[in-house]
Amino acid sequence: EAGVTQSPTHLIKTRGQQATLRCSPISGHTSVYWYQQALGLGLQFLLWYDEGEERNRGNFPPRFSGRQFPNYSSELNVNALELEDSALYLCASSPTGKVGYTFGSGTRLTVV
Amino acid sequence: AQSVTQPDIHITVSEGASLELRCNYSYGATPYLFWYVQSPGQGLQLLLKYFSGDTLVQGIKGFEAEFKRSQSSFNLRKPSVHWSDAAEYFCAVGVMNYGGSQGNLIFGKGTKLSVKP
């Protein structure tokens, strides 16, 4: 069984640009979660999608947005990039309503 | 508000020694609790989880954790540490949303484990 896959592995952007990160959940998983892991700040919850709907959102500005597609894959978009957005972005998936989810290996976003 | 505290930022143990990583949580209801491990540059791997039943939970790689409601704790233990256990360990509490189904997890800031030969 394939795990959660994220692309790209690394992404380098210039301040002010937009970044798009992608996540494919485990087959059969309908929930996708996005987390930001910045140095010294731990894992911060960004977004939760389930069945194509945004179910919950963390304390991040609106320039962090995303969506979930009919095949349950998901996209995270970060607009107007700031240097502080440099972090490892982790995606996780789970079956709807199930406890404990599986993480991907992450996308390392560097803003210069 | 829900929160997780891991009081130890960095712990060093000798190979073969026992290990206990501390985790305290704050949550208004019966929590769903998790321990994850992260190797450098990698995603997080689930070690074990608790959501009901026996308060002593067995996980992968020889780890176990005990839920103590009276102390709001969920400490992770291993009787004999191996060099390959060197990594960062995260405790998390599940926040229930959406009609009682699982929502996002709130993570502690992690404990980095170093293992000396």
Side-chain angles (χ1 to χ4, degrees):
Chain A
E1 175 184 82
V4 178
T5 55
Q6 293 187 244
S7 63
T9 305
H10 293 87
L11 189 59
I12 300 175
K13 292 286 186 178
T14 303
R15 190 171 50 184
Q17 285 188 316
Q18 178 193 26
T20 298
L21 289 64
R22 295 180 177 84
C23 173
S24 292
I26 290 173
S27 178
H29 287 192
T30 57
S31 280
V32 170
Y33 307 81
W34 287 96
Y35 284 81
Q36 181 196 66
Q37 188 177 26
L39 199 61
L41 295 179
L43 285 112
Q44 305 292 319
F45 168 68
L46 268 166
L47 291 158
W48 169 30
Y49 292 97
D50 183 70
E51 299 280 1
E53 301 284 332
E54 183 180 300
R55 299 298 182 190
N56 201 8
R57 181 182 180 86
N59 188 25
F60 280 84
R63 59 190 186 82
F64 286 83
S65 65
R67 54 180 171 167
Q68 187 178 34
F69 299 99
N71 66 353
Y72 304 116
S73 67
S74 178
E75 198 174 83
L76 174 69
N77 294 294
V78 188
N79 294 319
L81 284 165
E82 300 178 0
L83 298 178
E84 297 72 31
D85 298 332
S86 295
L88 180 67
Y89 289 83
L90 292 165
C91 172
S93 74
S94 75
T96 299
K98 295 296 184 182
V99 178
Y101 39 68
T102 304
F103 280 89
S105 296
T107 293
R108 173 74 61 185
L109 173 63
T110 302
V111 182
V112 298
Chain B
Q2 301 87 1
S3 66
V4 177
T5 302
Q6 293 180 247
D8 304 305
I9 296 173
H10 190 184
I11 284 181
T12 300
V13 300
S14 298
E15 191 168 15
S18 63
L19 170 71
E20 182 169 27
L21 301 182
R22 296 182 291 164
C23 172
N24 293 95
Y25 67 89
S26 172
Y27 188 60
T30 300
Y32 287 16
L33 294 162
F34 307 82
W35 276 99
Y36 284 85
V37 60
Q38 185 180 34
S39 297
Q42 299 297 310
L44 278 74
Q45 181 183 23
L46 179 65
L47 285 175
L48 47 79
K49 59 190 177 190
Y50 169 81
F51 49 93
S52 67
D54 193 346
T55 57
L56 186 61
V57 180
Q58 301 298 320
I60 62 171
K61 304 185 179 186
F63 286 93
E64 66 177 26
E66 186 171 12
F67 170 58
K68 292 185 177 179
R69 185 188 301 275
S70 61
Q71 299 177 18
S72 297
S73 69
F74 189 58
N75 294 349
L76 181 71
R77 301 194 294 248
K78 187 170 185 178
S80 177
V81 169
H82 188 262
W83 64 266
S84 61
D85 293 324
E88 191 154 20
Y89 292 79
F90 293 90
C91 181
V93 62
V95 176
M96 295 302 108
N97 286 301
Y98 178 36
S101 298
Q102 180 205 345
N104 51 287
L105 299 187
I106 305 296
F107 285 84
K109 295 205 179 296
T111 297
K112 184 176 181 180
L113 173 65
S114 296
V115 181
K116 58 183 182 182

